[in-house]
Amino acid sequence: TDLPAIVEPIYRRDTNGKLAPHRMMWPAYWGVRENGPEKETIRPLAPSEVEASAGDLLYPERAVVRILAALEKIPDRPGPPVLVLGGTVYEPNLDGGLTVKSAAANGPASAGYYFASAENGETTPFIPDFDPANAAATAEPEAAIQTVLEALRETKAAPGEPAFLYKGFLYRLTGGALDKSERKDAAAAGAEWMWAKGDSPQPMLSDFEKNAVMSLTGTDLRLTESQVARILEVLARDGRKNPVYISGGKLFRLDKKGRLEAVNDEAAEPVAWPLAHEVRPARQSLGWNGCTDCHSATSDFFFAKVNGRGPLQTKKIASHTNATYMGVNNVYHRLFGLSYLGRPYFKIVLAAAAFVIGIVLLAALVLAVGRMSGLIEKRK
């Protein structure tokens, strides 16, 4: 089931024109649409070429991994640093990505996430909940803020200086000391880790990154529709005309308004190859239980849905019935399958009709024998 996923058995025509079981998989790649001698074609782009243009857009979890790596330098923490996002704990793995560790414990009010230490199933936020307006109770929490900010300064490829916005106050490092300033435009409650450039702090984790982490971590999917749209924009901006992405049996492109759309295209069609199947006992064969093994109104043999698979998280996928891949008439076989619902009753009617006809024939036979023997005339 790991991607690229292979689906089997799909019944298709073989080289002899007979239905045979096949394996099937769907392509997934970036490309550009080009004019060919007879028709438009899709030229695939090398993964390295796409990665050079898209960068971290392909790997939104890397922003989190870099931050957690920097937080490893916090001394005397109870456990490894983790991200608590949307009620779930995420920790870095050996592959440079994220793994779902567990459901999160209750943490401080925040913009949907906070950084913490995790040990024995418990998460301890690096910054405890406190009132920054109460000077008598801020010494210890603000010392913790300074420690975390100093660690975050070591984050690789950081877009600015780390800052912490908490209940209307902005904390940042200035000349090695913690600077605290009131931000009346900030929310009265909640917390937000920021990257600050001058007087314009930006969220440390954008909505794009948070959504990607929550949507993809713990799945075999690698891209969201938002990622694909942004990467197609970047590819177009870098001079690649008509960039596209193919996944799940669909071709994805940007429309004239810059919105992501999915269309059918030959380049997105699945690839199939014959499957050498095992020999099974007769009792496991199709048809052993009767015609309805295949012929019914809800037959999986004909009408099971075959859905396109790919690394993109989307509902816009190719979906066809087995009958489509077999090249047989879907409507005909549905009607033919429906006829099997009435067949038991039809057999009863036929049996009753045969019984009545038999009685009539028997009566006619008795009457004929009586006349031939003269018994009927003697009775008269």
Side-chain angles (χ1 to χ4, degrees), residues 30-260:
W30 301 92
V32 291
R33 185 183 291 275
E34 296 180 338
N35 292 323
E38 297 181 359
K39 61 179 181 179
E40 288 186 328
T41 60
I42 304 299
R43 177 177 65 85
L45 295 174
S48 57
E49 187 179 354
V50 178
E51 192 165 352
S53 293
D56 283 351
L57 287 175
L58 284 166
Y59 311 102
E61 72 278 3
R62 286 182 177 175
V64 178
V65 173
R66 287 194 290 261
I67 293 170
L68 294 179
L71 294 175
E72 287 274 2
K73 299 177 182 179
I74 295 178
D76 302 325
R77 48 185 169 76
V82 295
L83 167 69
V84 182
L85 172 63
T88 303
V89 178
Y90 300 91
E91 64 177 357
N93 56 39
L94 296 177
D95 296 325
L98 294 174
T99 300
V100 175
K101 185 175 179 65
S102 65
N106 292 330
S110 67
Y113 73 94
Y114 61 93
F115 300 108
S117 287
E119 186 179 33
N120 299 325
E122 296 290 331
T123 57
T124 305
F126 287 121
I127 310 301
D129 192 17
F130 72 103
D131 181 7
N134 183 358
T138 59
E140 186 174 343
E142 289 181 352
I145 292 173
Q146 182 170 354
T147 300
V148 174
L149 291 177
E150 288 172 349
L152 288 172
R153 265 187 165 177
E154 304 301 318
T155 303
K156 292 182 179 179
E161 284 288 313
F164 184 54
L165 183 63
Y166 190 69
K167 295 184 179 180
F169 289 86
L170 181 67
Y171 293 90
R172 56 193 303 181
L173 296 175
T174 303
L178 185 67
D179 177 70
K180 175 182 178 182
S181 59
E182 188 173 4
R183 298 294 293 265
K184 295 183 179 179
D185 57 330
E192 180 82 42
W193 291 98
M194 317 285 286
W195 292 120
K197 280 187 177 181
D199 293 328
S200 302
Q202 301 295 323
M204 194 166 283
L205 295 180
S206 67
D207 290 339
F208 167 77
E209 292 165 335
K210 289 187 289 185
N211 290 336
V213 168
M214 289 191 291
S215 299
L216 302 177
T217 306
T219 74
D220 59 351
L221 304 176
R222 299 301 306 150
L223 295 166
T224 64
E225 289 188 13
S226 178
Q227 278 177 274
V228 171
R230 289 195 180 195
I231 293 170
L232 291 178
E233 289 176 0
V234 170
L235 291 174
R237 196 163 55 240
D238 285 354
R240 296 172 185 86
K241 294 183 179 180
N242 302 317
V244 298
Y245 180 67
I246 287 173
S247 175
K250 294 283 187 178
L251 182 145
F252 293 84
R253 65 188 183 189
L254 298 178
D255 62 16
K256 293 181 180 179
K257 296 183 178 180
R259 297 173 301 191
L260 190 69

Side-chain angles (χ1 to χ4, degrees), residues 347-364:
K347 290 176 182 178
I348 294 173
V349 172
L350 285 178
F355 178 76
V356 171
I357 292 172
I359 294 296
V360 171
L361 291 176
L362 180 62

Side-chain angles (χ1 to χ4, degrees), residues 8-26:
E8 62 178 62
I10 305 296
Y11 288 89
R12 295 169 65 100
R13 302 285 176 183
D14 61 14
T15 53
N16 297 320
K18 294 183 179 181
L19 289 177
H22 286 65
R23 288 191 172 106
M24 182 183 287
M25 64 175 288
W26 288 261

